[in-house]
Amino acid sequence: MYQKQFFEQIKIKSAELGFDEFGVTDLKNFEFNSAKIKEFINKNYHGEMYWMKDKLEIRSDPKNIWNEAKSALVLGINYGPESNPLNDLKKIKRGYISIYSRRKDYHKIIKSKLKALARYIQKIEPSKAKVFVDTAPLMEKPLASAAGLGWQGKHTNLVSRKHGSWLFLGVILTNIYFRNKKKIKSNCGSCSKCIDVCPTQAIIKPYSLDARRCISYLTIEHKTHIKKDFRIKIGNRIFGCDDCLAVCPWNKFAKKYSDIKLSYIKKLHMPNLKFFLSFGENDFILYFIGTPIRRLGYNRFMRNVLIATANSKDLSLINDVLKKLDSRNEIIRAMAVWALFCLSKSRFFEEKKKRLDTEKFYYVKQEWLNGEY
């Protein structure tokens, strides 16, 4: 009886702190499909996310992170948008930033809330706790499923009955034992909308993702040049992709976010590509301070902006692209060449005559030669 009351106290406090979902699972015989993630790694679906391979064994059990852990408290915060973001993809002259990134960095906001909840628990019951927000080799989504928050959909992301696909997750590992498992089975049924909508066919089969093809991975994690076929399909996305989340039918139950700290930063809603093309490195740092976009770094950010520019069909951006041909960074230079090719063949060939013979870097040369690599 005491544990049930304790659990309810924690649940009430979590709501006071702004969490929309709360559940708990014990860690006895924790069921996690390690075979699936091993297949993911063995097939190199993780791409340049080498940390996934390096920490593979640790991920198989939360106790490998902290052997005193007996339970996991899993919490979720809804960040559901006001309208369907798929409509934003039609505005090809503007840059699409993923919904979760159009606000302050959620890691810091959620971590502070988790620490407050952990302190509250420790006042009631002397105990130890560790908090996690997507910053350690901890499998949050399987834990969330075991705790009853939702299930992993065919797009591999968590789906909630109440909030659809729009949930930030946080975890508190504690040495308090809560006997509770409410693992929810998939309610995706025969639906394949998330698979069908993916521009790059990154969901290779239900519940299996090849990150190397995923636009979120390509625009955020991928550090080098992006293949031409993928560039075209990236469209106007300059940071992340929400297609498979946005199309999920369970989103009809999702409510708009309620936490004021997660409010939109208006300037990140479909910004003008021309404005971003004018950015130098210091402009980038100052403009995106406190947001997840800062993690990209200037070079990858400008690479993505130039890809969106190439897909924009906006001829007024040609002069801005020409300036990037003189960038000291080869990734930026290469994408400027491609953007110029897409926007103006005549200017492309004019600049090619001037620049090809003096270009030293392979990838940039290949763009002038309009080749594949």
Side-chain angles (χ1 to χ4, degrees), residues 19 197 215 329:
F19 288 107
V197 79
I215 290 174
N329 181 269

Side-chain angles (χ1 to χ4, degrees), residues 73-228:
L73 286 71
V74 189
L75 299 108
I77 290 184
N78 169 37
Y79 69 100
E82 293 182 347
S83 58
N84 192 328
L86 290 176
N87 294 325
D88 289 343
L89 300 176
K90 300 172 186 175
K91 303 168 186 175
I92 61 173
K93 295 182 181 182
R94 293 184 171 270
Y96 183 93
I97 294 173
S98 183
I99 295 299
Y100 86 88
S101 302
R102 299 181 188 181
R103 45 176 55 90
K104 289 183 179 179
D105 194 336
Y106 72 92
H107 294 89
K108 295 177 183 178
I109 296 169
I110 295 178
K111 197 164 194 175
S112 66
K113 293 176 183 290
L114 292 174
K115 286 181 177 179
L117 185 59
R119 288 193 296 269
Y120 174 80
I121 293 167
Q122 289 167 333
K123 282 183 181 179
I124 301 173
E125 180 76 29
S127 55
K128 296 179 183 179
K130 294 183 183 293
V131 303
F132 303 90
V133 189
D134 194 26
T135 53
L138 189 72
M139 302 304 289
E140 289 98 342
K141 288 181 281 188
L143 282 170
S145 179
L149 270 67
W151 66 94
Q152 282 187 262
K154 291 179 182 179
H155 50 23
T156 75
N157 295 295
L158 192 78
V159 182
S160 159
R161 286 183 180 273
K162 295 179 183 177
H163 304 293
S165 296
W166 309 108
L167 271 181
F168 289 132
L169 297 176
V171 176
I172 300 175
L173 293 183
T174 176
N175 63 346
I176 302 171
Y177 178 69
F178 288 96
R179 186 180 178 184
N180 195 56
K181 271 196 174 76
K182 293 183 178 178
K183 186 173 176 64
I184 298 177
K185 293 182 179 179
S186 172
N187 285 288
C188 292
S190 61
C191 178
S192 63
K193 288 188 176 182
C194 61
I195 299 172
D196 300 335
V197 79
C198 181
T200 55
Q201 290 80 56
I203 307 169
I204 52 177
K205 60 182 179 180
Y207 312 105
S208 187
L209 176 78
D210 184 347
R212 297 171 301 179
R213 303 182 65 87
C214 174
I215 290 174
S216 281
Y217 165 81
L218 290 167
T219 56
I220 300 172
E221 302 291 348
H222 189 70
K223 295 178 176 61
T224 51
H225 297 277
I226 296 173
K227 290 181 179 178
K228 194 178 295 183

Side-chain angles (χ1 to χ4, degrees), residues 1-19:
M1 178 62 72
Y2 168 73
Q3 191 172 84
K4 186 177 180 180
Q5 292 174 342
F6 186 26
F7 179 84
E8 287 303 314
Q9 283 179 281
I10 300 171
K11 187 175 182 179
I12 291 168
K13 184 63 177 179
S14 73
E16 289 176 2
L17 288 168
F19 288 107

